[in-house]
């Protein structure tokens, strides 16, 4: 039997296909007698040992495997590593099986169990240093005994220096005919510089998710929020993921009970990261502890302030020379710290956690209190006891007999100092929790506020107040653009907190509070009215509100609508501002879903609560428009566009953009959208950036500014992906599809349209689906496929279950009329087309959109009898001259030129066709320009050679023959070609015969093959 040539493993290794292929590249030559070496470098937990096991399992049927595991306890003993490796039982490939759980794969030679140094034939410590490498190489050749030998050393970086040097020397020697291959694992590649090294990366999301699925197989189910939190916390580390998952109960995995904070189960990985800490000098460990502690008040991934560490190290008694070298030169920390600008980062993100986990509690507390004191001084808030900070227990030159706890009231400290004090707290502290909550206000970033509220929740003793603070932290995380963290925090509020709050009703007590928590000390009144009254049990509604806002951007919008409607009355008694926001968001969800009645319901509920004048005009105006009282509604809405609003109120500016679009004032919509975007960029929140870019891009589309719309939509798409908002992504894909239907390429329109529809379907985004379908139809028109365009648009515009969004389907009427007429409308469609045009006419009367009258006249020209069409086209062009809008004007000229050519008025057709070509070229609408150029050539005027015509197999044909050939190659029948090109089927047949003769082909299949890209 021919042996397998692939690496095999008894357990599946997720996301390691590339690494397994690299192992095969080492093992395949070994089977042929050629040696080699490979170092697998990765921090603990990423699967170095598993890959070594996979390689050993793959090789054991072909030859012996020599396996050694480094022992940290022997690191100080010279040549202890070689002694372990050469002390193997070498009886045969099937001997030396390790005991279960020893980390050695079955069927390999387990090192260090059978022979002592003398029995191995080599006593490394007795040899001269320069003779050891040669002796090792000779001994390995003896082990191989003529067969291919695989030497596997796990955690080789832990070996003593002499053994590492000898192993590296031997690993560089094997080559052709050596029959020895070395596979080493190490924390990094520095210990074996010069050897081929493969650095393992964390698992990607798909691989980590697959591994999590295997780890939870057999459970009752894994809650999506719990899944996201486990993946987030593990960060692609498979060992950490397994540890975290193994510590959760079935109820926690299923989402029935809250998750602990922080998640347990990472102790083993953290201990592995901390192994080398004990070998470092005291001053290095102290600096690492300060650096890890200093990251606690910083945003995730931001590192620590180098200047703060310099001050803390100096205050703690560390030598200034050492600090300068470690913080600014990158020396003296064993490569664990790295400086980037003014920030200091750990080489691996888990190392900081390992440092804190490994340090004694007294040392950790001392470090946090020292940093709290310094931050209070830097913040110039006064009251810090600087003298006490100079005598911190656990730090160099500091007596252990004194403690250094600052006595400053929490309300007087900056947030960073409060966070450090919270890290130093040994238990619940109501006053400190209240101080953190009071400090978590603007202008601090939302991420910092969220972190502070988490600390406050952890210091709370009452379950009700703790749950509300977690919910408030989730709201800040949402505003910071981190929905995954927001959901994870909501999971700490209790089992199905949203449903529990809704069931409780207004004023229900969420749980008893501890004495002292309901009444914070003087000066510590929380800034958020929700958390301010949490102790009294008056905070139902916050968790469902956050759930609803998250669903609005990333879930079914119908669910978001219902949850937000239910949350509003729960919030109203104690937080009327957030109750109004919940109703406005519920209305937005209904709008996205195309639910006009749901939108009106939310707006009518707004009328029952307090609202400012602008908001009341917005509510009453939008309601009137949807109820058919257009004149009254427009009068109200115009007041919303009056100046005087706060230029930093991004939500109000976005509403103004919506108002302008409803009025049809596209210029005002662009101005409001630009102001809203500026407000979000300067003041936040980050969560609103995708919406601000979407509103501006759509306004620019309506105004004919397709290039700007595409640029803003692309930026918005990146922002939506970064902030985890798939619903916004679907809307932005629709905008990009509309832009691509003008500027091309057609493939981009298809890709964005399909992406929009894929996201819109599951989440009920009717507006995004309508816009995406319209974009695909407009691209079909540009490509000369009116039949397909009409088939896409008819269900959107005609009455029926598939009708499009109530606010956008009317905009697609001109495209449908054009597609139906050019595609050969059926008699039964005449009535539907006329009804659609009349609906569009009614909208034209109401709207301020300057392009609407021209498009209405164009629709009537397309449907008019021959003796009226000429005048209708002239009317449309006159409207275009007054309104502007080069793209739509070029479309009207193209249709007019086509109509003239069809009436055999070829000479007259050339002027509008020529103007259409120039207009499309100015708009960068290449597909439309190609269509206009084809019509112009068919009218007898050369339109210039296309840049891609060089080498065109159709170059020798006439323009009319080229158009017919391309249509036929796309699969169109003669009748379809005739309809598309305004010819008779007999004329098409005549030209097609000439095409076949000129090209020397005999069938449509050959023609399609000839023109295939």
């Amino acid at each position: 039997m021919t042996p397998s040539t692939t690496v095999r493993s008894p357990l599946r290794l997720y996301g390691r296909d590339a690494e397994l292929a690299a192992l095969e590249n080492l093992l395949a030559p070994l089977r042929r007698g050629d040696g080699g070496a490979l170092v697998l470098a990765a921090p603990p937990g990423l699967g170095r040992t598993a890959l070594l096991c996979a390689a050993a399992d793959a090789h054991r049927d072909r030859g012996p495997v020599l396996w050694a595991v480094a022992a940290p306890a022997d690191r100080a003993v010279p040549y202890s590593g070689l002694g372990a490796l050469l002390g193997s039982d070498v009886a045969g490939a099937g001997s030396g099986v390790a005991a279960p759980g020893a980390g050695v794969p079955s069927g390999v030679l387990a090192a260090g169990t059978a022979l002592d140094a003398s029995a191995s034939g080599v006593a490394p410590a007795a040899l001269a240093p320069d003779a050891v490498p040669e002796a090792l190489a000779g001994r390995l050749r003896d082990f191989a005994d003529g067969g291919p030998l695989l030497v596997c050393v796990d955690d080789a970086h832990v070996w003593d220096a002499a053994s590492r040097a000898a192993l590296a020397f031997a690993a560089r020697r094997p080559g052709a005919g050596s029959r020895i291959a070395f596979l080493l694992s190490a924390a990094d590649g520095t210990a074996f510089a010069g050897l081929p090294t493969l650095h393992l990366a964390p698992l990607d999301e798909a691989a980590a998710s697959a591994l999590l699925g295997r780890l939870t197989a057999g459970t009752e189910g894994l809650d999506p929020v719990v899944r996201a939190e486990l993946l987030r916390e593990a960060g692609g580390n498979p060992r950490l993921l397994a540890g975290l998952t193994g510590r959760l109960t079935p109820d926690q995995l299923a989402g029935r009970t809250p998750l602990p904070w922080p998640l347990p189960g990472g102790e083993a990985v953290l201990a592995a990261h901390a192994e080398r800490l004990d070998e470092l000098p005291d001053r290095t460990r102290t600096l690492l502890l300060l650096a890890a502690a200093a990251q606690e008040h910083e945003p995730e991934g931001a590192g620590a302030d180098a200047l703060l560490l310099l001050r803390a190290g100096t205050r703690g008694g560390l030598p200034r020379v050492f600090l300068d070298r470690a913080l600014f030169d990158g020396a003296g920390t064993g490569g664990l710290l790295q400086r980037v600008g003014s920030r200091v980062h750990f080489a691996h993100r888990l190392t900081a956690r390992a440092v804190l986990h490994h340090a004694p509690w007294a040392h950790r507390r001392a470090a946090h209190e020292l940093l709290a004191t310094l931050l209070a001084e830097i913040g110039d808030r006064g009251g810090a006891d600087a003298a006490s900070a100079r005598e911190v227990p656990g730090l160099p030159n500091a007596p252990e007999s004194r403690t250094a706890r600052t006595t400053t009231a929490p309300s007087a400290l900056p947030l960073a100092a409060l966070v450090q004090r919270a890290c130093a707290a040994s238990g619940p502290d109501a006053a400190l929790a209240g101080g953190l909550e009071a400090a978590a206000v603007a202008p601090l970033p939302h991420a910092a506020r969220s972190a502070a509220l988490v600390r406050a929740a952890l210091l709370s003793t009452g379950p009700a107040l703790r749950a509300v603070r977690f919910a408030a932290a989730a709201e800040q995380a949402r505003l910071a653009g981190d929905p995954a963290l927001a959901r994870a925090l909501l999971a700490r509020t209790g089992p199905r907190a949203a449903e529990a709050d809704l069931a409780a009703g207004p004023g229900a007590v969420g749980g008893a509070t501890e004495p002292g928590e309901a009444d914070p000390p003087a000066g510590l009144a929380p800034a958020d009215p929700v958390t301010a009254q949490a102790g009294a049990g008056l905070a139902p509604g916050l968790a469902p509100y956050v759930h609803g806002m998250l669903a609005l951007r990333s879930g079914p919008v119908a669910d978001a609508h219902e949850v937000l409607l239910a949350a509003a009355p729960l919030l109203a008694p104690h937080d009327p501002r957030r109750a109004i926001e919940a109703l406005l968001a519920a209305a937005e969800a209904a709008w996205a879903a195309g639910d006009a009645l749901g939108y009106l319901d939310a707006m009518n509920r707004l009328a029952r609560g307090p609202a400012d004048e602008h908001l009341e005009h917005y509510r009453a105006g939008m309601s009137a428009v949807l109820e058919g009282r257009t004149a009254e509604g427009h009068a109200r809405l115009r007041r919303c566009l009056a100046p005087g609003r706060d230029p930093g109120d991004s939500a109000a500016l976005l509403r103004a953009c919506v108002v302008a679009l409803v009025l049809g004032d596209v210029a005002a919509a662009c101005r409001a959208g630009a102001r809203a975007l500026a407000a979000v960029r300067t003041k936040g929140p980050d969560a609103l950036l995708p919406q601000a870019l979407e509103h501006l891009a759509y306004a620019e589309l309506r105004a004919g500014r397709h290039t700007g719309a595409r640029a803003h939509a692309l930026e918005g798409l990146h922002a939506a992906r970064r902030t985890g908002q798939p619903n916004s992504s679907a809307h932005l894909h629709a905008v990009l599809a509309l832009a691509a239907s003008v500027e091309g390429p057609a493939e981009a329109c298809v890709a964005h349209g399909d992406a929009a529809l894929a996201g819109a379907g599951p989440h009920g985004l009717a507006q995004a689906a309508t816009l995406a379908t319209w974009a695909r139809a407009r691209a079909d028109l540009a490509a000369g496929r009116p039949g397909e365009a009409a088939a896409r648009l008819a269900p959107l515009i005609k009455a029926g279950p598939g009708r499009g969004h109530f606010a956008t389907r009317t905009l697609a009427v001109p495209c449908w009329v054009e597609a139906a007429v050019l595609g050969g409308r059926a008699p039964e469609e005449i009535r539907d087309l006329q009804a659609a045009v009349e609906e569009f006419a009614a909208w034209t009367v109401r709207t301020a959109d300057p392009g609407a009258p021209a498009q209405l006249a164009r629709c009537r020209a397309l449907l008019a009898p021959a003796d009226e069409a000429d005048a209708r086209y002239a009317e449309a062009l006159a409207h275009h001259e007054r309104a502007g809008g080069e793209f739509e004007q070029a479309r009207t000229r193209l249709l007019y030129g086509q109509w003239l050519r069809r009436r055999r008025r070829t000479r007259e057709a050339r002027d509008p066709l020529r103007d259409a070509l120039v207009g499309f070229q100015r708009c960068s609408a290449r597909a439309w320009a190609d269509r206009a150029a084809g019509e112009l050539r068919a009218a007898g005027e050369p339109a210039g050679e296309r840049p891609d015509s060089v080498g065109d197999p159709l170059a020798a044909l006439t323009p009319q023959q080229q158009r017919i050939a391309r249509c036929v190659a796309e699969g169109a029948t003669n009748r379809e070609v005739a309809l598309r090109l305004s010819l008779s089927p007999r004329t098409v047949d005549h030209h097609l015969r000439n095409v076949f003769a000129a090209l020397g082909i005999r069938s449509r299949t050959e023609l399609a093959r000839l023109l295939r890209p």
Side-chain angles (χ1 to χ4, degrees), residues 551-563:
L552 176 61
R553 305 301 176 204
S554 59
V557 288
D559 294 352
H561 174 74
E562 295 300 331
V563 172

Side-chain angles (χ1 to χ4, degrees), residues 112 118 127 208 242 256 277 280 309 323 388 432 468 560 652:
S118 61
L127 296 175
R256 290 189 290 268
L277 296 178
L280 298 174
L309 290 180
L323 290 172
S388 65
L432 183 54
V468 170

